[in-house]
Amino acid sequence: MTTDTRSDTRNPVALVLGAGDAIGSAIAKQFAATGMTVCMTRRDASKLAPLVDELKAQGQEAHAFTSDARDEDQVVELFRTITTDIGPLGAVVFNIGANVPMSILDTSSRKFRKIWEMACFAGFLNGREAAKYMVEQGHGTILFTGATASIRGGSVFAAFASAKHGLRALAQSMARELGPKNIHVGHVVIDAMVDTAWINDNFGDAVEAAGPDGIVNPDHLAKNYVMLHQQPRDSWTFELDARPWVEKW
């Protein structure tokens, strides 16, 4: 790390960890639209090539990285590379998905551990590295994507819910510790179906019943992340619930 990142005049970076085809990509696009340099990760960065090309065609700076968010060495190197070669961290969004329904009777220790690693442990590794750089530079935003499972466990979601509960607790602890250091930590609870290919393939009847604006539009959802990043520090939001107007809760 540098010794005085406050004097860094390079464009600030918005790092989206887990820039999938729906929510993560939408978040990256919204941050790019603000003029920030966007860095995105997937376990296979080649899948991000179309999005990088799209953003560059619009005159925006974008970079893709292959990274396993559960691998400590890879995470440390990712943050070092970005801050050294591209720019200082303005915002980091942890958006790794691990929504895998399975009966508790069929949940092996291996499956449980893998879901926890993806949804919780990876949040710790990446949140810790983000915090190290942001504390040194004196500012920054760290946002974690949560779910309905973050606040209540549902049937056949024991592994996912326990991991998401852990991620929420991690975010709470980080917010309390880092807020006085001028680091805004937030947690976004997505309490609804999101318009993704996976949702449409697996819950087509429910999507049809919800209607055109009864399911979360990823682009609309992503605007909330930028809003949280841009909030003045005298009115920071820690937790934001997002759901359509017809959603019961």
Side-chain angles (χ1 to χ4, degrees), residues 27-88:
I27 293 170
K29 290 178 182 179
Q30 290 296 328
F31 273 103
T34 70
M36 296 178 72
T37 297
V38 173
C39 292
M40 300 165 286
T41 73
R42 290 184 74 157
R43 278 183 284 181
D44 181 0
S46 65
K47 294 181 179 179
L48 289 167
L51 178 56
V52 170
D53 292 342
E54 177 186 342
L55 293 174
K56 287 184 175 179
Q58 297 170 358
Q60 296 155 342
E61 186 177 355
H63 304 268
F65 294 88
T66 294
S67 179
D68 184 341
R70 304 165 298 172
D71 187 297
E72 185 168 21
D73 291 339
Q74 290 187 36
V75 170
V76 170
E77 179 61 20
L78 172 71
F79 279 83
R80 188 202 65 78
T81 298
I82 291 173
T83 54
T84 300
D85 299 341
I86 300 175

Side-chain angles (χ1 to χ4, degrees), residues 20-218:
D21 297 328
I23 298 173
S25 293
I27 293 170
K29 290 178 182 179
Q30 290 296 328
F31 273 103
T34 70
M36 296 178 72
T37 297
V38 173
C39 292
M40 300 165 286
T41 73
R42 290 184 74 157
R43 278 183 284 181
D44 181 0
S46 65
K47 294 181 179 179
L48 289 167
L51 178 56
V52 170
D53 292 342
E54 177 186 342
L55 293 174
K56 287 184 175 179
Q58 297 170 358
Q60 296 155 342
E61 186 177 355
H63 304 268
F65 294 88
T66 294
S67 179
D68 184 341
R70 304 165 298 172
D71 187 297
E72 185 168 21
D73 291 339
Q74 290 187 36
V75 170
V76 170
E77 179 61 20
L78 172 71
F79 279 83
R80 188 202 65 78
T81 298
I82 291 173
T83 54
T84 300
D85 299 341
I86 300 175
L89 296 172
V92 172
V93 179
F94 180 80
N95 187 62
I96 304 296
N99 190 351
V100 183
M102 66 183 75
S103 166
I104 191 66
L105 303 178
D106 300 322
T107 304
S108 66
S109 60
R110 178 179 175 276
K111 290 178 180 178
F112 187 95
R113 184 180 298 109
K114 183 175 180 180
I115 291 171
W116 170 77
E117 286 178 347
M118 293 170 63
C120 186
F121 179 65
F124 152 70
L125 287 178
N126 288 272
R128 182 195 67 189
E129 291 307 300
K132 287 179 179 178
Y133 287 93
M134 290 180 179
V135 166
E136 184 176 0
Q137 70 189 21
H139 60 88
T141 302
I142 304 172
L143 302 174
F144 295 92
T145 295
T148 305
S150 301
I151 53 178
R152 63 178 183 273
S155 174
V156 305
F157 285 98
F160 181 61
S162 60
K164 280 296 187 180
H165 272 64
L167 184 70
R168 183 179 187 231
L170 169 74
Q172 287 177 337
S173 294
M174 288 178 62
R176 290 184 167 97
E177 177 181 353
L178 300 175
K181 300 181 187 298
N182 200 32
I183 314 300
H184 183 188
V185 179
H187 182 250
V188 180
V189 176
I190 306 174
D191 183 28
M193 295 184 296
V194 180
D195 191 4
T196 65
W198 187 85
I199 288 292
N200 283 282
D201 290 344
N202 290 275
F203 302 97
D205 292 342
V207 171
E208 184 176 354
D213 58 355
I215 179 172
V216 175
N217 181 312

